[in-house]
Amino acid sequence: MISYKTLGLSNTKAMFAGAIDGGYAIPAYNFNNMEQLQAIIAACVETKSPVILQVSSGARKYANSTLLRFMAQGAVEYSKELGYEVPVALHLDHGDSFELCKDCIDSGFSSVMIDGSHLPYDENVALTRKVVEYAHKQADYVTVEGELGVLAGIEDAVVAEKSTYTRPEEVIDFVKKTGVDSLAISIGTSHGANKFTPEQCTRNADGVLVPPPLRFDILEEIEKKLPGFPIVLHGSSSVPVEYVKQINQYGGALKDAVGIPEEQLRKAAKSAVCKINIDSDGRLAMTAAVRKVLAEKPAEFDPRKYLGPGRDELKTMYKRKNIEVLGSAGHA
């Protein structure tokens, strides 16, 4: 059993309280390797933003759970080395079983998500409550995120063909019965780089797909029922057009990629939404930069020469997200 506090990590309780009071959202950035982690921490130090490092079950398999734990500890020390210690949480994204959540808690995670949204309501409640009871009884309180509603799209092993909006009439009962610290809801966000089909969208004058608006009416109803309670949005990458174009320019084949407009995310961040998950945008930014280097310098074979520019582009994007979209800059 390893406590996250020995690694220098924070849980999300104080982060969310500050976000709700301040009208901003904490960035929750997924990482799988060193370059992504360097970019996240450097961006958050330079913008003085708290941050949640998200790890999926796929990331644990890819990078090794022990290495990821020490990378998170290294991230805290890296923040200090860069001259400003920002609060860092290590969070399990889309945990699908009690056993996985327990393993993460035991290995030093400060926060876990148990995603029982695909289960019947009562089974979701029972599974979520079981994780909450284990997490909260630790000597160092581990925070838990639950989910109501289903997001469409694909993210690692999380696959759903269509969205099911969160039902506001269920949220009070769910939070009361489970004891979760935050609640992920479905109001029209979606996983992956192709969040909507062309048929669901309109096109602007430049031919760019414009997705349907988020269901802020559902969010507002949930806020009324759970005043001051931390709400989470998954599947919130904006899928920047410039990265999609660059990837395709240098040999990629992304067709009809479309994300959530950033102005809608900023509106959400000013509400009870205090954690916004961004994964696909990081993948796109790094891939765009790597493809450009390899296309322009086909003889290059040193990973540092193409992963380095990928890391730099990630940092630039994350800084802008913290400042312009999430509003978390200056709150660490």
Side-chain angles (χ1 to χ4, degrees), residues 246-252 287-300 305-306:
Q246 185 169 317
I247 288 170
N248 290 340
Q249 177 185 351
Y250 293 110
T287 299
V290 170
R291 278 191 174 276
K292 184 175 188 293
V293 172
L294 294 179
E296 293 179 346
K297 301 177 180 179
E300 186 58 71
K305 297 296 177 65
Y306 52 84

Side-chain angles (χ1 to χ4, degrees), residues 28 30 54 91-95 112-115 117 145-152 155 158 182-192 195 214 231-237 260 265 273 275-279:
N30 288 68
Q54 291 203 147
H91 176 77
L92 171 65
D93 190 22
H94 285 291
V112 294
M113 179 203 183
I114 178 63
D115 183 0
S117 61
E145 174 186 328
E147 182 166 359
L148 272 177
V150 178
L151 271 67
E155 181 182 15
V158 181
S182 61
L183 181 65
I185 63 171
S186 174
I187 60 169
T189 56
S190 181
H191 291 130
K195 298 184 183 299
L214 298 180
I231 301 299
V232 176
L233 287 187
H234 285 244
S236 296
S237 286
I260 308 300
L265 295 175
V273 173
K275 174 176 177 274
I276 291 181
N277 293 14
I278 297 173
D279 185 7

Side-chain angles (χ1 to χ4, degrees), residues 8-61:
L9 298 167
S10 306
N11 69 21
T12 57
K13 208 166 186 64
M15 288 186 185
F16 290 166
I20 290 173
D21 290 342
Y24 61 92
I26 308 294
Y29 296 133
N30 288 68
F31 80 101
N32 305 270
N33 63 23
M34 181 187 73
E35 287 80 12
Q36 290 173 315
L37 187 60
Q38 288 175 314
I40 292 168
I41 296 302
C44 289
V45 167
E46 291 181 23
T47 57
K48 293 183 169 57
S49 170
V51 66
I52 298 169
L53 300 175
Q54 291 203 147
V55 174
S56 66
S57 59
R60 292 183 90 220
K61 293 173 184 175

Side-chain angles (χ1 to χ4, degrees), residues 11-204:
N11 69 21
T12 57
K13 208 166 186 64
M15 288 186 185
F16 290 166
I20 290 173
D21 290 342
Y24 61 92
I26 308 294
Y29 296 133
N30 288 68
F31 80 101
N32 305 270
N33 63 23
M34 181 187 73
E35 287 80 12
Q36 290 173 315
L37 187 60
Q38 288 175 314
I40 292 168
I41 296 302
C44 289
V45 167
E46 291 181 23
T47 57
K48 293 183 169 57
S49 170
V51 66
I52 298 169
L53 300 175
Q54 291 203 147
V55 174
S56 66
S57 59
R60 292 183 90 220
K61 293 173 184 175
Y62 173 80
N64 179 270
S65 58
T66 302
L67 283 175
L68 285 173
R69 183 215 319 156
F70 284 109
M71 287 172 73
Q73 183 179 23
V76 175
E77 298 304 316
Y78 184 43
S79 168
K80 297 175 186 176
E81 183 179 311
L82 292 175
Y84 194 89
E85 186 175 0
V86 300
V88 177
L90 180 62
H91 176 77
L92 171 65
D93 190 22
H94 285 291
D96 61 358
S97 69
F98 171 78
E99 291 73 22
L100 174 58
C101 290
K102 180 181 182 299
D103 187 53
C104 288
I105 293 167
D106 292 350
S107 65
F109 279 61
S110 60
S111 178
V112 294
M113 179 203 183
I114 178 63
D115 183 0
S117 61
H118 58 288
L119 299 171
Y121 180 80
D122 289 342
E123 293 180 29
N124 187 1
V125 168
L127 175 60
T128 304
R129 180 170 180 79
K130 184 176 181 181
V131 173
V132 167
E133 288 175 345
Y134 186 78
H136 288 182
K137 77 176 183 180
Q138 303 304 311
D140 294 318
Y141 187 101
V142 175
T143 42
V144 179
E145 174 186 328
E147 182 166 359
L148 272 177
V150 178
L151 271 67
I154 300 173
E155 181 182 15
D156 286 353
V158 181
V159 180
E161 291 187 2
K162 63 180 182 178
S163 294
T164 302
Y165 292 125
T166 301
R167 300 174 62 185
E169 61 269 25
E170 292 180 339
V171 297
I172 294 175
D173 183 69
F174 185 82
V175 168
K176 182 178 179 181
K177 286 181 176 177
T178 61
V180 289
D181 300 284
S182 61
L183 181 65
I185 63 171
S186 174
I187 60 169
T189 56
S190 181
H191 291 130
N194 294 81
K195 298 184 183 299
F196 306 96
T197 65
E199 292 74 24
Q200 293 174 295
C201 304
T202 58
R203 290 188 186 269
N204 65 18

